[in-house]
Amino acid sequence: MKPFIIFFICLIFSSCKEKPGPYMGDTKVFAKGADVSWLTEMEASGKKFYNTSGVQTECLALLQSLGVNTIRLRVWVNPANLWNSKQDVLAKAIRAKNLGMLLMIDFHYSDTWADPGHQTKPAAWATQGIDELKSSLAFHTTDVLNMLKANGITPYWVQVGNETNDGLLWPEGKASVNMANYAALINSGYDAVKSVFPNTKVIVHLSNGWDNGLFRWNFDGLQSYHAKYDVIGLSLYPSAGNWQQLNYQCLANMNDMVSRFNKEVMIVEAGMPWDDAQSCKSFLEDIIAKTKSVNQSKGLGVLYWEPEAYGQWQGYTLGAFDNSGKPTSALEAFQ
């Protein structure tokens, strides 16, 4: 075969390979993001958002002006109201798409909050065993993603579960009781995501990103049962007094995950008290730099959890807006 033909074939092949990180056009992007899942509910309650000059501004456009390029949205199966339902997710996803922002979808696989202490099955799945749960999880995943696809929206990342420190869909998928079931549920979600969006990256997400013992136990277990995923997601919620220490531990943990499992890593949730903006800014600047420094350039980004929450919204105090609805200086870290 002639050399120029060989070169042309190689060029085509290399251009078809999946790129290793988020891209906007031909430019690789470090994700600087925000989970804004409360946004529509806040707006419905009358909450408004303002830039630092006091001009009322649409929240996503305001965040984008501050350097945010990625939006994360949680999905609940059958919530008591419409918030975080698939229709609510679509409404917010369309707004993010129209601004050209990257999108992460976070499946909780519950009708309400899923976190390390709560992994409650949706009411409609309450009596199901593991095989039925795998099918229900896959159907729900594809149902939501096909809805997004029908509206021209492609998420760059999808979380299969939220803070699954001890698995999901308890008791069947509780990792400390049945690691094999936990891995099987992760695989059902992974296969469902790839069936709709083959190039979308699947995240398995744990809290306490500084806790290497937790991460080794969980991901060693998943590996032993051949679980499939692309990215290890971490939460990190330090205090003003310990963020330096926890950031160093988190970096060590991320580097260990890269070397141990050859996976990319990402801070998918972060936050600190809104009324200590300077400490929060320092924390964010440092964890962004540390994530960028992860071995093999496998640190993908840092996302703040509900920065727009203000005025003691639902009792949450770790946002990054002040009580007048303006962003604090903490978000300057994203610029």
Side-chain angles (χ1 to χ4, degrees), residues 52-307:
T52 53
S53 299
V55 177
Q56 185 178 335
T57 307
E58 190 276 326
C59 185
L60 295 190
L62 176 55
L63 289 170
Q64 188 176 49
S65 74
L66 297 169
V68 170
N69 58 33
T70 299
I71 294 298
R72 178 181 187 253
L73 301 172
R74 62 179 165 271
V75 190
W76 293 345
V77 178
N78 291 303
N81 50 43
L82 288 177
W83 311 123
N84 305 311
S85 66
K86 69 176 187 177
Q87 294 87 357
D88 183 44
V89 169
L90 176 61
K92 290 173 286 196
I94 288 172
R95 291 165 62 174
K97 178 201 172 191
N98 289 342
L99 289 170
M101 303 175 90
L102 297 168
L103 180 66
M104 178 186 297
I105 297 295
D106 173 18
F107 284 99
H108 282 226
Y109 300 121
S110 181
D111 293 334
T112 184
W113 302 99
D115 55 44
H118 309 86
Q119 296 287 339
T120 305
K121 290 188 287 188
W125 307 358
T127 62
Q128 295 181 2
I130 186 61
D131 289 335
E132 291 173 298
L133 287 171
K134 286 161 55 180
S135 296
S136 294
L137 184 154
F139 178 84
H140 170 63
T141 303
T142 55
D143 181 49
V144 172
L145 296 183
N146 277 322
M147 174 196 66
L148 294 175
K149 188 174 186 178
N151 285 274
I153 298 167
T154 300
Y156 204 97
W157 307 271
V158 169
Q159 281 189 215
V160 175
N162 186 76
E163 294 189 331
T164 58
N165 295 22
D166 196 11
L168 69 164
L169 295 172
W170 292 347
E172 286 79 6
K174 194 164 192 174
S176 58
V177 176
N178 196 319
M179 187 66 74
N181 280 358
Y182 171 41
L185 290 166
I186 294 295
N187 283 345
S188 290
Y190 178 95
D191 291 341
V193 173
K194 299 294 184 176
S195 73
V196 182
F197 295 116
N199 294 323
T200 290
K201 296 189 177 188
V202 173
I203 299 173
V204 174
H205 166 215
L206 310 187
S207 74
N208 296 345
W210 45 268
D211 187 349
N212 182 245
L214 165 66
F215 278 70
R216 283 194 172 201
W217 172 78
N218 192 293
F219 287 100
D220 279 352
L222 288 177
Q223 181 170 265
S224 69
Y225 288 100
H226 311 292
K228 296 176 288 187
Y229 60 95
D230 304 307
V231 179
I232 292 174
L234 308 89
S235 293
L236 192 61
Y237 291 97
S239 68
N242 69 6
W243 68 259
Q244 294 99 329
Q245 176 188 353
L246 294 192
N247 280 10
Y248 277 113
Q249 290 177 245
C250 186
L251 174 61
N253 186 32
M254 289 191 286
N255 279 327
D256 185 55
M257 294 298 100
V258 168
S259 63
R260 195 174 182 87
F261 304 110
N262 192 31
K263 300 294 184 182
E264 294 173 312
V265 294
M266 193 174 196
I267 307 293
V268 298
E269 290 187 19
M272 279 183 65
W274 73 270
D275 55 356
D276 191 354
Q278 185 54 52
S279 293
C280 186
K281 180 183 175 183
S282 297
F283 154 62
L284 289 173
E285 288 174 338
D286 186 68
I287 197 60
I288 287 169
K290 282 180 167 54
T291 305
K292 286 180 176 179
S293 78
V294 166
N295 292 342
Q296 304 174 45
S297 299
K298 287 184 180 289
L300 301 182
V302 174
L303 281 70
Y304 203 102
W305 197 83
E306 300 284 12

